[in-house]
Amino acid sequence: MTFQSMNEGAQFVATSRDILLQNQITVTIGTNFFEYRDLLEEERPQQVLGAPFDPEVHDMNAGNAFWLVAHDVDGLLMHTQASRLIDLKQKTLSGYMLKKFREFPPAIPDLDLKRSRYRASPGANRITGHVVYHGEVWMGGSPGQYRGSGLSTVLARYGLHEAMRRWDPDYIFGFMARTVAYKGFAERMGYMHNEPGALRWYRKGQDTPLEGFVSYLSNEDTRYLLEMPVVDVVDVPRPHQKAA
């Protein structure tokens, strides 16, 4: 029985839509990543499209990838995320990433890929099957307007539900900078497993690396998360009021 034919997440999605509607947030989901790249160039110029979702490099289509964006009441881009299905076949995530981690760099300039490294974490040694890479997570707005708010949590779980609805994967995973993970962002995103030391990215001419966590959910974890009422996982945000 697939996720699509079950009731997991139905209450969450209904409540989430109500919250987004009350806050005048409009969500758009698409699968054309050339269109997504153009949207980012126009509306998120400070951060270009991440390499894992570059349509010039990866063959992405309606069957294996989607992007999600949200706009506020003024039509301004306030959130992005994207997901991509990966069939690990007989490999574990650790085995896959030992050879492929350079295809999943952070969105920072001047990376020294030769010095950067991936270290297999315990969870990555167990993850296999059909997995979803979840990335491109960005929150806009003025300081304190959306980041750390209940809206970021609602939107993140909205994307997790969409991945489950489409593919019912064995696992969902992503990478997160240590500084962000230490602020509790992984928990706000809904990830139940967060393992440090997975990635170490170096920039050219610098000796201090950017450390990355691997964050992940099993299929069972995600179902459990999406069955929970929104009020049990987040303080429901009040509608945002424009300044007079």
Side-chain angles (χ1 to χ4, degrees):
M1 184 177 292
T2 64
F3 185 85
Q4 292 93 320
S5 63
M6 299 175 69
N7 292 323
E8 283 100 330
Q11 181 181 3
F12 174 84
V13 170
T15 305
S16 297
R17 287 174 177 167
D18 287 344
I19 293 171
L20 296 174
L21 182 63
Q22 290 167 13
N23 284 272
Q24 297 179 287
I25 302 297
T26 302
V27 171
T28 304
I29 296 174
T31 57
N32 184 328
F33 278 79
F34 290 98
E35 178 184 341
Y36 178 60
R37 184 181 63 184
D38 292 344
L39 183 151
L40 296 186
E41 288 177 354
E42 180 178 352
E43 301 187 44
R44 197 187 73 180
Q46 70 274 33
Q47 184 176 320
V48 299
L49 174 63
F53 295 99
D54 185 346
E56 300 283 359
V57 177
H58 303 286
D59 180 17
M60 295 178 293
N61 53 63
N64 65 10
F66 72 89
W67 48 265
L68 183 155
V69 300
H71 291 83
D72 66 16
V73 63
D74 296 315
L76 298 176
L77 184 69
M78 54 81 65
H79 174 74
T80 69
Q81 61 178 289
S83 290
R84 183 179 126 206
L85 184 65
I86 300 172
D87 182 2
L88 292 177
K89 301 185 186 300
Q90 302 302 316
K91 294 181 180 179
T92 62
L93 181 62
S94 59
Y96 179 87
M97 282 296 167
L98 282 171
K99 295 183 178 180
K100 298 279 192 177
F101 81 93
R102 291 178 179 86
E103 297 180 9
F104 296 81
I108 58 176
D110 302 322
L111 281 177
D112 188 337
L113 295 179
K114 290 184 178 179
R115 282 200 299 161
S116 300
R117 65 104 177 112
Y118 169 80
R119 180 185 181 188
S121 61
N125 285 326
R126 295 188 294 268
I127 293 174
T128 189
H130 288 85
V131 303
V132 167
Y133 172 67
H134 183 211
E136 275 290 300
V137 179
W138 173 86
M139 292 295 298
S142 58
Q145 183 179 5
Y146 298 125
R147 297 178 186 181
S149 73
L151 285 173
S152 64
T153 300
V154 171
L155 287 163
R157 284 164 171 75
Y158 202 101
L160 295 176
H161 178 271
E162 183 67 15
M164 289 291 286
R165 187 190 69 80
R166 287 172 179 261
W167 303 309
D168 197 22
D170 298 301
Y171 291 90
I172 299 174
F173 79 97
F175 295 118
M176 192 169 299
R178 180 177 66 179
T179 53
V180 176
Y182 280 174
K183 294 178 181 178
F185 189 64
E187 287 76 12
R188 290 199 298 273
M189 289 284 292
Y191 284 105
M192 296 185 187
H193 309 279
N194 303 288
E195 300 181 339
L199 289 165
R200 178 169 288 180
W201 298 103
Y202 285 92
R203 297 182 68 177
K204 294 177 181 178
Q206 298 188 16
D207 293 326
T208 302
L210 172 67
E211 299 282 353
F213 281 49
V214 60
S215 304
Y216 67 93
L217 290 158
S218 69
N219 185 288
E220 183 181 22
D221 293 334
T222 313
R223 290 171 181 270
Y224 173 80
L225 183 75
L226 294 175
E227 286 174 352
M228 298 176 67
V230 175
V231 294
D232 287 356
V233 296
V234 62
D235 292 330
V236 177
R238 297 178 180 178
H240 177 67
Q241 299 295 326
K242 294 178 62 177

